[in-house]
């Protein structure tokens, strides 16, 4: 975990590029107490230790289904599709889709131990935190840590999405949602350390998987941050560090994960980098 001193920082969208309904602005000064946060999202390997130790079954396992992106549904799972999400037909309800079978029956995670665990709800993430003696980060903590000490920037590394033509995060490439222009048409998660970390040592705070936060969003929902491998400028530019969205606490998807945090005594936190 990265141990951060906290302090005052400017939170929110400084560019006016967010969605009005998401309430990213206005930019405001926020005070954060010292805390520690995972440098990566919780991986399949880490979740497996928890599940083996406790016998915990996720909401997706108990409900019998979860949501999978249409291009990722395993061939053997085609007959287990039970419907599409209204307004987002690229999301398919798939019976048997779980953290161990992310694309439905016939898929697995044998070669994805270091990928982020997915198909975990807010309630599942809290259960893991309780077991590990940790908690979910607040939304303020999440953004403070995700910025890596660079205040006011679009991304954890600065304002350019791909500085020098170099990709810095796992988001959608190509015409969404019909075709991925990545090599071999690949899409989906990548390892939790796939891209270089920000100034505080955190990996993948833009793209890869949405991450649950502790905060409520209105009535009955919870905040998610960071965007995912399905975010694209044409319809969902929420891979910006100020971006936010929300979901119900029992919901799970193939692009939703989390990382954990814990409190720190003021004298025990290491100082983080600040923007020049």
């Amino acid at each position: 975990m990265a141990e951060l001193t906290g302090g005052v920082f400017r939170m929110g969208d400084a560019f006016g590029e967010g969605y009005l309904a998401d309430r990213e602005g206005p930019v405001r000064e926020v005070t954060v107490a010292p805390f520690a946060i995972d440098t990566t999202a919780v991986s399949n390997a880490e979740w497996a230790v928890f599940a083996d130790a406790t016998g915990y079954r996720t909401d997706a396992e108990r409900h019998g289904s979860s949501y999978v992106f249409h291009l990722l549904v395993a061939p053997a799972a085609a007959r287990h599709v039970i419907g599409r999400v209204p307004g987002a037909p690229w999301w398919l309800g798939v019976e048997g889709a779980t953290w161990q079978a992310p694309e439905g029956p016939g898929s697995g995670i044998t070669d994805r131990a270091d990928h982020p665990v997915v198909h975990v709800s807010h309630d599942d993430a809290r259960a893991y935190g309780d077991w590990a003696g940790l908690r979910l980060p607040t939304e303020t903590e999440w953004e403070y840590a995700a910025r890596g000490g660079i205040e006011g920037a679009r991304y954890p590394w600065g304002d350019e999405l791909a500085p020098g033509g170099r990709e810095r995060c796992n988001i959608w490439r190509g015409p969404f949602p019909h075709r991925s222009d990545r090599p071999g048409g690949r899409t989906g998660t990548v390892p939790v350390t796939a891209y270089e970390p920000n100034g505080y040592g955190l990996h993948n705070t833009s793209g890869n998987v949405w991450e649950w936060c502790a905060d409520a969003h209105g009535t009955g929902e919870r905040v998610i941050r960071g965007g995912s491998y399905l975010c694209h400028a044409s319809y969902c530019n929420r891979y910006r560090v100020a971006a936010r969205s929300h979901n119900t606490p029992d919901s799970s998807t193939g692009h939703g994960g989390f990382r954990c945090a814990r409190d720190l005594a003021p004298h025990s936190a290491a100082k983080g980098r600040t923007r020049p």
Side-chain angles (χ1 to χ4, degrees), residues 247-259:
N247 211 341
T248 55
D250 62 344
S251 293
S252 62
T253 65
H255 71 340
F258 71 103
R259 71 181 72 211

Side-chain angles (χ1 to χ4, degrees), residues 213-225:
C213 291
D215 306 58
H217 186 283
T219 302
E221 295 192 315
R222 295 288 174 169
V223 171
I224 52 176
R225 299 294 300 256

Side-chain angles (χ1 to χ4, degrees), residues 21 25 44 61 68 78 85 87 92 120 128 148 155 164 168 172 192 210 230 265 270:
N44 284 315
E61 289 172 297
V68 180
V85 174
L92 306 182
V120 287
Y128 177 95
Y155 311 111
R168 297 293 301 269
W172 184 267
V192 295
W210 283 101
L230 296 178

Side-chain angles (χ1 to χ4, degrees), residues 179-194:
R179 186 189 75 240
S180 169
D181 285 347
R182 291 185 178 278
R186 178 186 65 80
T187 188
T189 60
V190 296
V192 295
T193 57

Side-chain angles (χ1 to χ4, degrees), residues 18-231:
Y19 300 97
L20 185 61
D22 288 349
R23 302 195 302 274
E24 294 180 23
V27 175
R28 63 275 188 198
E29 287 193 345
V30 179
T31 300
V32 186
F35 70 104
I37 189 167
D38 286 340
T39 57
T40 69
V42 173
S43 68
N44 284 315
E46 291 171 317
W47 184 271
V49 172
F50 162 61
D52 289 345
T54 64
Y56 183 86
R57 299 180 69 234
T58 61
D59 279 333
E61 289 172 297
R62 290 185 290 105
H63 294 164
S65 67
S66 190
Y67 291 96
V68 180
F69 182 63
H70 72 122
L71 296 183
L72 289 176
V73 175
R79 63 189 179 89
H80 297 280
V81 173
I82 55 176
R84 295 178 181 267
V85 174
W90 49 87
W91 280 114
L92 306 182
V94 178
E95 292 178 326
T98 69
W99 71 274
Q100 295 183 88
E103 291 82 46
S107 65
I109 57 170
T110 301
D111 60 347
R112 285 183 269 180
D114 60 349
H115 285 226
V117 65
V118 293
H119 296 293
V120 287
S121 69
H122 187 272
D123 296 334
D124 298 332
R126 287 186 58 192
Y128 177 95
D130 290 344
W131 171 79
L134 303 170
R135 59 174 173 79
L136 290 175
T138 66
E139 183 176 12
T140 301
E141 289 173 335
W142 191 96
E143 184 169 329
Y144 176 87
R147 289 188 175 278
I150 305 179
E151 286 196 8
R154 284 187 179 90
Y155 311 111
W157 54 86
D159 291 338
E160 286 187 67
L161 179 59
R166 185 162 51 99
E167 184 177 79
R168 297 293 301 269
C169 62
N170 180 29
I171 57 176
W172 184 267
R173 307 290 185 192
F176 184 88
H178 309 293
R179 186 189 75 240
S180 169
D181 285 347
R182 291 185 178 278
R186 178 186 65 80
T187 188
T189 60
V190 296
V192 295
T193 57
Y195 295 90
E196 60 190 89
N198 70 8
Y200 290 158
L202 276 67
H203 294 267
N204 296 339
T205 54
S206 285
N208 213 25
V209 293
W210 283 101
E211 299 182 7
W212 289 108
C213 291
D215 306 58
H217 186 283
T219 302
E221 295 192 315
R222 295 288 174 169
V223 171
I224 52 176
R225 299 294 300 256
S228 80
Y229 59 83
L230 296 178
C231 281

